[in-house]
Amino acid sequence: MAAAAAAAPPFAAGDSPPPTALLLPRTTTTAGAAPAPRRSSASSRLHLLLTAALAVATSYLLLILPRTPLSAAPAPAAAARAQVKLEKPVVILISSDGFRFGYQHKAATPHIHRLIGNGTSAATGLIPVFPTLTFPNHYSIATGLYPSSHGIINNYFPDPISGDYFTMSSHEPKWWLGQPLWVTAADQGIQAATYFWPGSEVKKGSWDCPDKYCRHYNGSVPFEERVDAILGYFDLPSDEMPQFLTLYFEDPDHQGHQVGPDDPAITEAVVRIDEMIGRLIAGLEERGVFEDVNVILVGDHGMVGTCDKKLVFLDELAPWIKLEEDWVLSMTPLLAIRPPDDMSLPDVVAKMNEGLGSGKVENGEYLRMYLKEDLPSRLHYADSYRIPPIIGLPEEGYKVEMKRSDKNECGGAHGYDNAFFSMRTIFIAHGPRFEGGRVVPSFENVEIYNVIASILNLEPAPNNGSSSFPDTILLPSE
Ligand SMILES: *[C@@H]1O[C@H](CO)[C@@H](O)[C@H](O)[C@H]1NC(C)=O
Ligand SMILES: *[C@@H]1O[C@H](CO)[C@@H](O)[C@H](O)[C@H]1NC(C)=O
Ligand SMILES: *[C@@H]1O[C@H](CO)[C@@H](O)[C@H](O)[C@H]1NC(C)=O
Ligand SMILES: [Zn+2]
């Protein structure tokens, strides 16, 4: 978010065009069964024996296989564990920015693995929303809404009507639509506390970002200090203790942009995040409340390596269409273009795609342009006047630039199509409402709002999560 993302150029996410098709699930059809050959009675007895042996082996396998449902998670059977010390349900929502799914295996991460082992996690990670950028995703987690509905459609964008510009330090309520969890809580008389989260400083409903419970973003605050402040809330008298708390770390996104996902610096950053989780667990244990608190650890998006040769230069499209710099509202990985009003939008898209497909533009085949209403509907990236009319989706790891330059392009990026596995992040939850050692199928982060509302017994605001989802992931409350 701010410090980390602010240091990075105002890039937004994109999607990838041609090989995206490869990401679509394929149904494999088994070849038609061959007709059974006639057998002698001896061979059919053997066949029966083999079949029986196979059946036993299969049922044994089913018993020892981890419980990893492939389609929908069946509701957990057990009931929630009774809270011992705390009187009310409590949720700590933690974000580790740019924590790509799989980073948890880069090094020994004993504390994160304790949460996984005794908690519930998403099998192949948490699916971010498109664009896979910090502000849109954090606010989707907080509101349960897609960016087109919550209004934060990029980390930076102009409002096409007022001309005002949204940046990562804009706290005016007009930008932030929908109802984030801290507002849902405050409106229903439940105390929330935010130690950084995009949108948390915005005054909305009954939430006015009170000094005692709402920190103003400052990327220089050491992580330890953030964890300790969260722990301090558990020393308050019960009626002042918040029930919903957020905690944010800029890492390992910060390092990911500089060096890409496969560098020792990432491993170090992951170890440090694990240490912070350990510090939190230890502090909660000291206070005797660790088993009473629902800790939900997520990231906002993943990270993919980028390097020199994976670049598309828009000025090479000049023989087809000359793009002015001020039409380009965000460049990479989310290419967003608003041409002047007197130009035909379909014409701009057609000319750009003609150039990109001509074989004469370097890497042109790795970028495809769309009218926003023609984007794949699974991206939900059309229904907002704030979304520019023309969107380009680069292939995974490709970047778009205005013109060739000699700057070093090697590092990491995110913002791409949320179907890319590299954009996935983590969902790891531990506490009285989460079954130990349970693995559930991956899901989109817009589901989290309803899960937290359910734990806290809050009436959820309208959102894009499914109302039945909490029952599939939570232990029923006692
Ligand atoms: C689960 O919790 C128990 C008790 O706190 C602990 O001893 C055990 O190591 C934890 N399991 C994992 C996988 O960390
Ligand atoms: C940000 O945090 C640092 C470290 O705690 C502190 O020294 C600095 O004064 C803070 N800045 C602001 C503007 O509060
Ligand atoms: C998301 O939820 C909002 C609020 O209920 C609704 O207006 C919008 O149509 C929903 N979007 C999708 C894609 O379902
Ligand atoms: Zn980032």
Side-chain angles (χ1 to χ4, degrees), residues 103 106-109 252 261-273:
Y103 278 3
K106 273 189 181 282
T109 51
D262 296 306
D263 186 280
I266 299 295
T267 312
E268 272 172 46
V270 166
V271 167
R272 182 154 158 69
I273 292 297

Side-chain angles (χ1 to χ4, degrees), residues 340-380:
D341 287 345
D342 60 354
M343 291 189 76
S344 151
L345 299 173
D347 200 45
V348 174
V349 170
K351 284 180 171 151
M352 288 185 75
N353 279 335
E354 195 189 323
L356 292 168
S358 67
K360 292 178 183 138
V361 170
E362 191 177 336
N363 293 323
E365 68 271 37
Y366 297 111
L367 173 66
R368 183 176 292 176
M369 304 306 301
Y370 297 84
L371 288 172
K372 65 178 177 180
E373 54 271 25
D374 295 337
L375 284 167
S377 61
R378 62 182 173 77
L379 298 176
H380 306 291

Side-chain angles (χ1 to χ4, degrees), residues 144-182:
L145 293 167
Y146 292 114
S148 55
S149 289
H150 69 47
I152 308 302
I153 54 121
N154 200 332
N155 287 340
Y156 303 79
F157 60 90
D159 182 303
I161 296 172
S162 67
D164 293 351
Y165 215 86
F166 174 84
T167 71
M168 291 191 284
S169 43
S170 300
H171 303 309
E172 300 91 341
K174 65 176 181 183
W175 297 109
W176 305 82
L177 313 178
Q179 191 185 90
L181 280 158
W182 46 86

Side-chain angles (χ1 to χ4, degrees), residues 23 39 48 87 142 155 163 191 199 220-221 224 286 291 299 375 377 389 446 450:
L23 295 161
R39 289 195 192 87
L48 270 176
E87 291 154 22
N155 287 340
Q191 189 63 59
S220 308
V221 178
E224 286 82 354
E286 258 169 49
E291 296 295 342
L375 284 167
S377 61
V446 294
N450 283 336

Side-chain angles (χ1 to χ4, degrees), residues 8-317:
F11 293 158
D15 182 19
S16 85
T20 299
L22 294 176
L23 295 161
L24 295 175
R26 296 224 175 129
T27 44
T28 43
T29 50
T30 43
R38 290 179 146 262
R39 289 195 192 87
S40 71
S41 65
S43 87
S44 74
R45 223 171 301 130
L46 179 65
H47 177 78
L48 270 176
L49 272 173
L50 284 175
T51 309
L54 196 66
V56 171
T58 307
S59 45
Y60 176 68
L61 264 180
L62 285 175
L63 283 175
I64 60 166
L65 277 177
R67 203 140 61 86
T68 310
L70 292 177
S71 48
R81 294 184 289 281
Q83 292 185 191
V84 177
K85 191 161 176 198
L86 298 178
E87 291 154 22
K88 302 175 207 158
V90 175
V91 174
I92 305 178
L93 176 63
I94 308 167
S95 165
S96 171
D97 200 313
F99 199 112
R100 172 172 162 166
F101 177 76
Y103 278 3
Q104 70 271 32
H105 303 297
K106 273 189 181 282
T109 51
H111 307 296
I112 292 174
H113 275 85
R114 178 164 172 198
L115 299 183
I116 296 172
N118 281 336
T120 297
S121 56
T124 45
L126 179 65
I127 305 170
V129 295
F130 178 82
T132 52
L133 295 169
T134 295
F135 268 53
N137 273 280
H138 276 94
Y139 206 51
S140 284
I141 294 167
T143 59
L145 293 167
Y146 292 114
S148 55
S149 289
H150 69 47
I152 308 302
I153 54 121
N154 200 332
N155 287 340
Y156 303 79
F157 60 90
D159 182 303
I161 296 172
S162 67
D164 293 351
Y165 215 86
F166 174 84
T167 71
M168 291 191 284
S169 43
S170 300
H171 303 309
E172 300 91 341
K174 65 176 181 183
W175 297 109
W176 305 82
L177 313 178
Q179 191 185 90
L181 280 158
W182 46 86
V183 175
T184 307
D187 281 357
Q188 297 177 41
I190 289 203
Q191 189 63 59
T194 54
Y195 210 121
F196 305 163
W197 200 276
S200 61
E201 293 166 64
V202 179
K203 296 187 166 68
K204 220 177 196 309
S206 316
W207 176 257
D208 60 356
C209 187
D211 286 346
K212 182 173 166 188
Y213 293 105
C214 171
R215 303 293 173 132
H216 296 281
Y217 184 67
N218 175 355
S220 308
V221 178
F223 291 172
E224 286 82 354
E225 203 175 312
R226 306 179 194 191
V227 172
D228 294 351
I230 291 293
L231 292 170
Y233 286 118
F234 291 88
D235 299 329
L236 293 174
S238 167
D239 59 335
E240 289 171 40
M241 196 187 290
Q243 284 181 255
F244 173 66
L245 306 94
T246 72
L247 172 59
Y248 170 81
F249 301 117
E250 290 83 356
D251 296 353
D253 182 74
H254 171 68
Q255 295 82 356
H257 282 289
Q258 293 168 349
V259 296
D262 296 306
D263 186 280
I266 299 295
T267 312
E268 272 172 46
V270 166
V271 167
R272 182 154 158 69
I273 292 297
D274 188 61
E275 285 165 4
M276 292 306 112
I277 300 302
R279 188 180 182 98
L280 180 72
I281 294 174
L284 292 172
E285 280 186 322
E286 258 169 49
R287 291 163 175 82
V289 298
F290 175 56
E291 296 295 342
D292 281 1
V293 173
N294 296 284
V295 174
I296 303 179
L297 171 62
V298 298
D300 50 350
H301 53 69
M303 184 68 67
V304 68
T306 56
C307 220
D308 301 271
K309 292 194 169 62
K310 292 186 176 174
L311 292 167
V312 181
F313 302 106
L314 296 180
D315 70 349
E316 291 187 19
L317 289 173

